[in-house]
Amino acid sequence: MRLGVLDVGSNTVHLLVVDAHPGARPLPAHSHKAELRLAQLLDEDGAIGPDGVDRLIGVVREALQAAEDKGVEDLLPFATSAVREATNADDVLARVQADTGVELQVLTGAEEARLTFLAARRWFGWSAGKLLVLDIGGGSLEIAYGIDEEPDAAVSLPLGAGRLTAAWLPGDPPDPEAIRTLRRHVRAQIARSVGEFTRFGPPDHVVATSKTFKQLARIAGAARSTEGLYVQRDLKRESLEAWVPQLAGMTAAQRAELPGVSEGRAGQLLAGALVAEGAMDLFGVETLEICPWALREGVILRRLDHMGSDGAATGARGTVRATPHDPAPAYGEQHNGE
């Protein structure tokens, strides 16, 4: 069937139309994205302001029209950390549903980590052994570890690149002391969680997902997206450590000129690099491999699994019912375009 997956993330609102059925790889048919940067629209009280809510409603309406134009049978909407952690989240969700008919299902941080892990497991297969999966979003950092499709440990930390940039790095380029302060904060936050993972022993394979890791790998020399989805792309800690001081001295406009870095993400790339560097260092990772699949793929894969057991999809256009263990599915972009 043709599904429309609406992902309200911390940076973008992304509608992806896919043709999918159980047992087969979902095939993307259409993509519609709008950069909203909800993680950076929170006021001093942590609420999404009226202008941000109005903009979100407008983008959701555009996505609904695009879904209708592409013949979507079922719209599957979900939201992540920016909406989840907003102090007025309930009001925002109610406004969106009242004005658009879309009932956004809010994923918890642990669900984000588990579903991203599922995507990585399906991508690399059982032969990859024990996986450590890292994902840097706009609002949070997800870490998961395990040998099965369900991770043994999964955490979500408030270390998203957009969130940290807005709160800690206001300058362009940022003040060196602000960068040092953020570096200490990031490493202290990650260090608190390291023991939850190291008790399971060293991973056989370390992978990373998300636009931030893809862009960092690209500027460090990884293959262009045009070279194909199945080309292995790695990020070495040595290369990342060499790039961090260079990124720190650049303006956002200068970073946007780097290979693979989009203008919309350039401003938060330094914060993302500090998180990536801290995670690789504290977990003792010298090299990680970039995984083309991430949260959206994990959610749609879980949904397809349920479709296979139920025999059909459920839900009506613009509305999806979900429980914490049965979230609304999504399917994401497969690789970073340049």
Side-chain angles (χ1 to χ4, degrees):
M1 65 184 304
R2 176 154 284 196
L3 306 176
V5 182
L6 184 60
D7 174 5
V8 178
S10 298
N11 282 311
T12 63
V13 176
H14 187 176
L15 168 73
L16 203 66
V17 177
V18 300
D19 293 317
H21 65 271
R25 180 174 65 111
L27 298 176
H30 177 72
S31 177
H32 176 89
K33 289 195 296 185
E35 284 198 357
L36 198 55
R37 302 183 193 178
L38 283 176
Q40 299 180 40
L41 294 178
L42 302 180
D43 61 24
E44 294 181 355
D45 297 323
I48 300 174
D51 179 62
V53 177
D54 289 341
R55 289 167 60 185
L56 172 59
I57 289 171
V59 170
V60 171
R61 283 174 172 158
E62 292 175 2
L64 284 174
Q65 185 60 58
E68 181 178 319
D69 292 344
K70 297 302 177 182
V72 167
E73 300 176 54
D74 202 7
L75 182 65
L76 311 171
F78 72 96
T80 55
S81 64
V83 174
R84 178 175 68 238
E85 297 171 13
T87 56
N88 62 337
D90 290 341
D91 293 337
V92 172
L93 295 171
R95 274 283 315 277
V96 170
Q97 184 172 5
D99 289 11
T100 69
V102 172
E103 183 182 355
L104 289 174
Q105 303 300 316
V106 181
L107 299 180
T108 68
E111 286 169 350
E112 286 192 55
R114 290 198 300 266
L115 290 165
T116 301
F117 183 88
L118 172 63
R121 168 59 69 198
R122 292 280 179 93
W123 180 266
F124 287 102
W126 298 113
S127 63
K130 293 179 287 186
L131 293 181
L132 175 64
V133 179
L134 307 172
D135 179 281
I136 302 172
S140 58
L141 163 69
E142 275 68 51
I143 309 171
Y145 175 100
I147 195 168
D148 298 317
E149 291 197 338
E150 184 71 17
D152 296 311
V155 300
S156 178
L157 304 176
L159 297 176
R163 175 202 297 267
L164 295 179
T165 300
W168 297 78
L169 301 177
D172 189 26
D175 177 74
E177 184 58 35
I179 296 173
R180 285 191 291 271
T181 301
L182 175 57
R183 183 179 186 274
R184 288 194 296 269
H185 170 74
V186 165
R187 286 171 178 255
Q189 289 282 315
I190 296 173
R192 294 174 185 172
S193 298
V194 169
E196 296 183 41
F197 299 90
T198 55
R199 64 191 180 93
F200 293 105
D204 298 309
H205 206 62
V206 182
V207 302
T209 72
S210 76
K211 185 80 75 174
T212 294
F213 272 115
K214 291 174 184 177
Q215 293 184 343
L216 291 172
R218 178 71 187 98
I219 65 174
R224 297 169 56 93
S225 60
T226 53
E227 294 184 35
L229 182 63
Y230 300 104
V231 174
Q232 181 170 321
R233 294 171 174 87
D234 297 326
L235 176 61
K236 298 183 181 300
R237 174 150 55 108
E238 181 181 10
S239 299
L240 180 58
E241 290 174 343
W243 266 104
V244 167
Q246 296 183 59
L247 294 173
M250 294 181 177
T251 64
Q254 290 172 327
R255 292 185 210 127
E257 296 178 357
L258 296 172
V261 178
S262 64
E263 182 178 354
R265 301 293 183 108
Q268 62 187 46
L269 187 61
L270 172 60
L274 291 172
V275 175
E277 180 190 38
M280 293 181 73
D281 188 9
L282 290 166
F283 280 98
V285 177
E286 295 299 327
T287 303
L288 54 77
E289 187 171 347
I290 304 301
C291 178
W293 281 5
L295 174 62
R296 284 185 290 267
E297 287 82 358
V299 181
I300 200 169
L301 289 167
R302 177 66 53 80
R303 177 62 166 175
L304 290 175
D305 289 346
H306 290 172
M307 285 175 61
S309 61
D310 297 340
T314 60
R317 181 187 183 279
T319 303
V320 172
R321 302 289 179 183
T323 69
H325 300 290
D326 183 14
Y331 177 80
E333 59 192 341
Q334 294 191 3
H335 57 86
N336 175 35
E338 295 181 21

